[in-house]
């Protein structure tokens, strides 16, 4: 008679083949994933068409650029009540205006009350008060807008020279009402601005708009991420920042050099964002952060930039959380800098506006507005 127990396979006889099958399936799956990633990384088209750029050696942070912690003591306004207040404008009554990441244009009264003036449906990034009391807004999605004190929105410009605006960024207004604004990138939108950095091609321009005739004129083309815009005290020239070339360009509006352009300041120690004039011969330049060694190393390597553009954003070079504002005169000389290297109080400053002895400071990512008392 056969023993029934002897006919049953033991666990030791069954388990090893089962584990081998599981291991084989895992290895096949892993190989498929690795091959798929390799095809994506090395064969799939990149979202950018990069070119090589050899950045200048970054300047040393010495002299007036030497690190300091003056912004560490800056007052904070509307903490937790604003989401990415990139640009700030302050009227003579002390009311602070800003645009936020959720498409709102806010007014912050001197008592700290936060009011929603308007909702643009886009991303308001640059603001300037017009002579008629309306707020002119560069909205990266909708173009150049005019918002009256009641919050009514009028689209002034959404194209120039038969080309739609790709990324309206900053705005400055002359005493005669002429509006100067930057179109940061004709190719990449507000959620893709880092693609513009990696690609390294000049997609930006500087444009003027005459509200009387409603005519637009492209003043400068071929700018590397055209950003902040500011007028000189006598309005004989206008400045525009090229964020991804670490420089400021000057375009002459009058005089013997009218219509000509030149480099105003070159090889800045960080990424220039917005710039404002105090109307008395001084410019305040916001540097988003200090220069990034990894980004500088990548700049002359287009193949690697093309591959990196396909990778998750957490693998890209990271901005150091640094607060940095530079004071310039109308000859392009750096007179002073105000900083917070820790970025704990304020970080990634994108605008600095002077009013009544204070600098009001905006940021692309902060949840607050800074207020720094000038010496």
């Amino acid at each position: 008679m056969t023993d029934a127990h002897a006919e049953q396979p033991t666990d030791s006889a069954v388990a090893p083949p089962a584990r081998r099958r599981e291991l084989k399936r895992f290895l096949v799956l892993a190989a498929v994933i690795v091959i798929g990633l390799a095809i994506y990384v090395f064969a799939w088209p990149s979202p950018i068409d990069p070119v090589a750029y050899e950045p200048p050696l970054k300047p040393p942070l010495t002299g007036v650029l030497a690190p300091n912690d003056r912004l560490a003591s800056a007052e904070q306004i509307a903490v937790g009540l604003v989401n990415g207040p990139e640009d700030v404008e302050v009227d003579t009554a002390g009311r602070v205006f800003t645009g936020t990441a959720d498409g709102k244009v806010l007014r912050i009264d001197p008592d700290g009350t936060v009011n929603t003036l308007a909702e643009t449906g886009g991303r308001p990034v640059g603001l300037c008060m017009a002579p008629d009391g309306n707020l002119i807004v560069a909205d990266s999605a909708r173009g150049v807008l005019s918002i009256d004190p009641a919050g009514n929105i009028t689209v002034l410009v959404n194209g120039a020279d038969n080309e739609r605006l790709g990324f309206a960024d900053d705005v400055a207004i002359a005493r005669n009402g002429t509006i100067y604004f930057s179109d940061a990138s004709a190719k990449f939108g507000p959620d893709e601005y880092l693609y513009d950095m990696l690609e390294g091609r000049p997609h930006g321009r500087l444009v003027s708009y005459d509200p009387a005739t409603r005519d637009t004129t492209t003043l400068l083309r071929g700018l590397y991420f055209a950003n902040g815009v500011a007028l000189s005290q006598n309005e004989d020239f206008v400045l525009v920042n090229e964020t991804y070339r670490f420089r400021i360009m000057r375009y002459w509006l009058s005089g013997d050099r009218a219509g000509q352009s030149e480099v105003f300041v070159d090889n800045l120690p960080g990424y220039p964002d917005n710039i404002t004039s105090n109307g008395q011969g001084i410019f305040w330049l916001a540097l988003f952060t200090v220069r990034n060694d990894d980004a500088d190393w990548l700049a002359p390597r287009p193949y690697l930039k093309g591959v990196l553009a396909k990778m998750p954003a957490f693998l890209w070079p990271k901005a150091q959380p640094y607060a940095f504002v530079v004071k310039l005169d109308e000859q392009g000389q750096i007179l002073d800098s105000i900083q917070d290297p820790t970025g704990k109080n304020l970080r990634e400053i994108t605008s600095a506006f002077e009013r009544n002895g204070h600098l009001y400071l905006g940021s692309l990512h902060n949840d607050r507005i800074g207020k720094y008392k000038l010496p």
Side-chain angles (χ1 to χ4, degrees):
M1 185 173 180
T2 305
D3 187 345
H5 292 288
E7 296 176 354
Q8 301 297 321
T10 63
D11 288 344
S12 61
V14 174
R19 282 199 293 269
R20 285 196 294 270
R21 287 194 297 271
E22 291 173 3
L23 179 60
K24 183 177 180 180
R25 292 191 191 104
F26 172 78
L27 292 176
V28 169
L29 179 60
V32 169
I33 292 173
V34 170
I35 292 171
L37 286 175
I39 292 173
Y40 173 71
V41 169
F42 298 107
W44 197 263
S46 175
I48 64 173
D49 180 21
V51 294
Y53 159 61
E54 191 68 53
L57 292 176
K58 63 183 182 181
L61 295 182
T62 57
V64 294
L65 294 176
N68 61 72
D69 62 355
R70 291 158 63 184
L71 285 180
S73 61
E75 179 185 348
Q76 298 176 354
I77 299 174
V79 178
L81 301 177
V82 292
N83 177 16
E86 178 163 353
D87 196 12
V88 287
E89 175 83 2
V90 186
D91 67 11
T92 55
R95 299 180 301 178
V96 181
F97 296 83
T98 189
T100 58
D102 52 3
K104 294 179 180 178
V105 176
L106 303 178
R107 187 191 73 229
I108 305 167
D109 294 338
D111 64 1
T113 303
V114 179
N115 308 277
T116 299
L117 176 63
E119 295 190 37
T120 69
R123 191 2 172 155
V125 289
L127 302 90
C128 192
M129 196 68 70
D132 62 2
N134 286 356
L135 190 66
I136 305 302
V137 175
D139 187 293
S140 60
R142 298 194 59 196
V144 179
L145 315 177
S146 177
I147 304 177
D148 68 20
N152 299 306
I153 299 175
T154 302
V155 178
L156 299 180
V157 188
N158 57 19
D161 298 336
N162 297 316
E163 301 172 45
R164 187 170 181 81
L165 298 183
F167 188 157
D169 198 309
D170 196 26
V171 60
I173 305 174
R175 287 184 284 269
N176 67 2
T178 300
I179 298 170
Y180 298 90
F181 65 93
S182 56
D183 187 10
S185 177
K187 183 174 182 179
F188 300 107
D191 297 327
E192 302 172 319
Y193 62 93
L194 290 177
Y195 281 160
D196 203 284
M197 176 187 72
L198 289 176
E199 183 162 291
R201 293 183 185 272
H203 298 302
R205 56 179 169 164
L206 173 68
V207 185
S208 68
Y209 170 75
D210 185 341
T213 63
R214 300 183 181 180
D215 291 334
T216 57
T217 304
T218 298
L219 305 177
L220 279 178
R221 289 186 177 274
L223 300 176
Y224 294 88
F225 203 81
N227 208 322
V229 180
L231 286 156
S232 64
Q233 180 178 2
N234 296 326
E235 299 185 352
D236 54 341
F237 65 83
V238 60
L239 301 180
V240 59
N241 293 339
E242 287 187 283
T243 300
Y244 298 141
R245 283 297 187 267
F246 318 112
R247 69 188 181 193
I248 306 171
M249 296 297 294
R250 167 161 51 188
Y251 180 86
W252 289 96
L253 299 170
S254 61
D256 295 339
R257 288 176 284 180
Q260 299 178 27
S261 64
E262 62 195 9
V263 175
F264 181 68
V265 180
D266 204 1
N267 198 21
L268 288 159
Y271 296 83
D273 204 289
N274 285 343
I275 185 170
T276 60
S277 168
N278 71 353
Q280 299 174 2
I282 294 297
F283 296 107
W284 291 106
L285 173 68
L287 298 178
F288 179 77
T289 187
V290 289
R291 291 271 289 273
N292 185 293
D293 291 336
D294 291 338
D296 281 1
W297 181 85
L298 275 170
R301 295 168 170 84
Y303 177 76
L304 291 181
K305 292 192 293 182
V307 171
L308 186 63
K310 294 183 280 185
M311 304 299 283
F314 72 85
L315 296 174
W316 295 22
K318 298 295 184 294
Q320 183 177 338
Y322 202 115
F324 208 145
V325 177
V326 170
K327 180 181 182 181
L328 301 161
D329 65 18
E330 294 200 341
Q331 288 69 51
Q333 298 299 311
I334 298 177
L335 305 177
D336 197 5
S337 69
I338 309 169
Q339 307 175 36
D340 178 7
T342 70
K344 293 180 179 178
N345 190 39
L346 299 169
R347 63 188 172 95
E348 297 170 356
I349 302 298
T350 48
S351 60
F353 183 88
E354 181 180 345
R355 175 71 76 182
N356 297 330
H358 291 84
L359 277 185
Y360 293 81
L361 306 164
S363 171
L364 183 63
H365 296 132
N366 277 345
D367 67 347
R368 67 205 67 180
I369 293 170
K371 182 180 180 181
Y372 172 76
K373 184 174 177 58
L374 292 168

